[in-house]
Amino acid sequence: MTVKIIKVIALFSVVIFSILMLKTISQYTSFEKNIGFLAFKQQVINNPYWMAFFYIHIFSITLCLLAGLTQFSNQFLKENRNLHRIIGKAYVYNILIINVPACFVLGLFSNGGFIGIAGFLIQDILWAYFTIVAVLSIKQGNIGRHKNYMILSYAVTTTAITFRLIKNLFYNEKYHDYELFYGINVWLALVINLLIAYLILRKNPVSIAQKRDS
């Protein structure tokens, strides 16, 4: 029951925050350099590489969030196996080809000082690792291991949501140092999401030896 409640809350949160992120992202379609997050990154907005990766990331990350919503339903998988594979491939390509490289560059210039930079780079490495292992597992026919690592991959994907939730709920510029809060928040979002993934995997263990039907 606890895991079902966590799943429902997580699903609801992802949907709501994906919609909110789309609204936030829409402001960047003007390509102005002094709006939203860019207002705090004036030291790098004239770097064409950083700007390119920034726009690549923000315009594609919501697709990762939404794609993941369909991938963990057993009912959806049974009734839409081909669509599951198509969406899964889009999710994987989006992460490994687009967002992992983009986030690595963005992470090097992250807010939060060394704490923030280290947190973002570790997130990026884990994101790539979990996703690659999930892909290799399904290619080997190991469904159980594939499911486990896709859950871990999606946990990292949704750190963007957890990060913003923590910031909106707890950050107060009167009492918090922005850089320190930002850096700690990067790590906190990652730890919380991996903990939720761990609870889901522990309560609903999937045998890593489970094989795909031939």
Side-chain angles (χ1 to χ4, degrees):
M1 182 64 69
T2 302
V3 172
K4 289 183 178 180
I5 293 174
I6 291 175
K7 285 184 176 181
V8 171
I9 293 175
L11 177 63
F12 180 76
S13 298
V14 170
V15 172
I16 295 299
F17 279 93
S18 293
I19 294 172
L20 293 177
M21 284 186 70
L22 281 173
K23 182 179 179 180
T24 300
I25 289 170
S26 65
Q27 67 183 316
Y28 297 111
T29 57
S30 66
F31 294 99
E32 296 180 10
K33 295 183 178 182
N34 61 344
I35 57 175
F37 178 72
L38 293 178
F40 300 94
K41 304 295 295 184
Q42 293 299 299
Q43 71 276 20
V44 291
I45 59 172
N46 292 319
N47 183 324
Y49 299 105
W50 189 92
M51 290 297 295
F53 282 118
F54 171 76
Y55 285 119
I56 288 171
H57 172 60
I58 63 169
F59 290 141
S60 63
I61 187 60
T62 304
L63 296 178
C64 289
L65 292 170
L66 295 176
L69 292 176
T70 64
Q71 299 303 89
F72 302 106
S73 167
N74 291 329
Q75 188 66 28
F76 180 87
L77 176 57
K78 290 179 182 178
E79 298 177 356
N80 304 277
R81 287 199 171 189
N82 289 333
L83 184 57
H84 170 81
R85 293 190 184 99
I86 292 172
I87 295 175
K89 287 181 179 179
Y91 173 84
V92 168
Y93 291 146
N94 194 326
I95 289 174
L96 297 181
I97 297 177
I98 299 175
N99 272 289
V100 164
C103 288
F104 181 82
V105 174
L106 296 177
L108 294 174
F109 297 90
S110 170
N111 293 331
F114 176 78
I115 297 175
I117 292 173
F120 270 120
L121 294 182
I122 288 176
Q123 276 190 21
D124 205 42
I125 292 170
L126 289 176
W127 205 15
Y129 174 74
F130 292 150
T131 307
I132 290 171
V133 174
V135 172
L136 294 177
S137 297
I138 198 63
K139 285 184 177 295
Q140 295 166 357
N142 194 326
I143 296 177
R145 196 163 187 251
H146 170 72
K147 286 182 177 180
N148 288 346
Y149 276 90
M150 282 303 289
I151 288 173
L152 291 169
S153 171
Y154 197 62
V156 179
T157 300
T158 52
T159 54
I161 292 175
T162 308
F163 178 91
R164 285 164 178 77
L165 181 61
I166 294 172
K167 181 182 176 183
N168 291 335
L169 289 177
F170 299 107
Y171 177 68
N172 188 319
E173 61 182 8
K174 293 181 180 180
Y175 303 107
H176 299 123
D177 178 84
Y178 179 78
E179 288 293 306
L180 180 60
F181 185 93
Y182 194 101
I184 293 175
N185 194 6
V186 172
W187 285 93
L188 193 57
L190 178 61
V191 170
I192 289 173
N193 280 28
L194 290 181
L195 179 60
I196 292 173
Y198 169 76
L199 292 174
I200 292 173
L201 293 174
R202 184 180 179 186
K203 293 293 184 179
N204 286 304
V206 179
S207 172
I208 61 172
Q210 182 182 349
K211 298 293 185 179
R212 177 170 50 196
D213 294 335
S214 57

